[in-house]
Amino acid sequence: QVRLVESGGGLVQAGGSLRLSCAASGFFFSSAVMNWYRQPPGKARELVALIFSNGGAVYADSVKGRFTISRDNAKSTASLQMNSLKPEDTAVYYCKALSLGTDFWGQGTQVTVSS
């Protein structure tokens, strides 16, 4: 059974930092593409960052230079370090794994950035 469990969300002031973690199980983590998406209130879900099995990463323009995605294959964990947070980063953040052509989603974690 595939499980993706996000943690680390919360309330932070603008300019602050948070680190999100995604604990994965039930699939071959080291070969999966791991993604972080977010869904702001009243808006569509959008890709924030992804990391390939070789460690290569891609970022949305809105978070470049502020967010860093990483993975630990030994622990089957993906993380998103978020610095210099802005109120517009407020959203539910979701972890997604792409493994053997199938998407698996976590339940999401709320991030709220106050001005």
Side-chain angles (χ1 to χ4, degrees):
Q1 181 181 2
V2 173
R3 289 193 71 199
L4 295 170
V5 180
E6 300 98 333
S7 61
L11 173 64
V12 64
Q13 289 188 330
S17 299
L18 283 174
R19 185 177 180 86
L20 305 183
S21 293
C22 173
S25 61
F27 62 96
F28 192 38
F29 180 87
S30 61
S31 66
V33 180
M34 298 302 298
N35 306 254
W36 284 99
Y37 280 75
R38 68 185 180 188
Q39 187 163 17
K43 297 184 178 180
R45 196 172 295 189
E46 61 184 12
L47 177 67
V48 175
L50 62 86
I51 185 167
F52 296 99
S53 57
N54 64 1
V58 177
Y59 296 91
D61 287 344
S62 58
V63 306
K64 281 181 182 176
R66 301 188 299 123
F67 290 11
T68 303
I69 190 171
S70 61
R71 64 190 297 158
D72 185 335
N73 290 337
K75 296 182 179 179
S76 297
T77 301
S79 298
L80 186 69
Q81 177 66 43
M82 305 186 295
N83 298 329
S84 302
L85 282 161
K86 304 175 181 179
E88 52 263 43
D89 295 318
T90 294
V92 178
Y93 283 71
Y94 297 89
C95 175
K96 188 192 86 169
L98 172 58
S99 177
L100 299 178
T102 301
D103 288 337
F104 303 101
W105 291 88
Q107 82 289 349
T109 186
Q110 176 70 46
V111 171
T112 302
V113 184
S114 63
S115 58

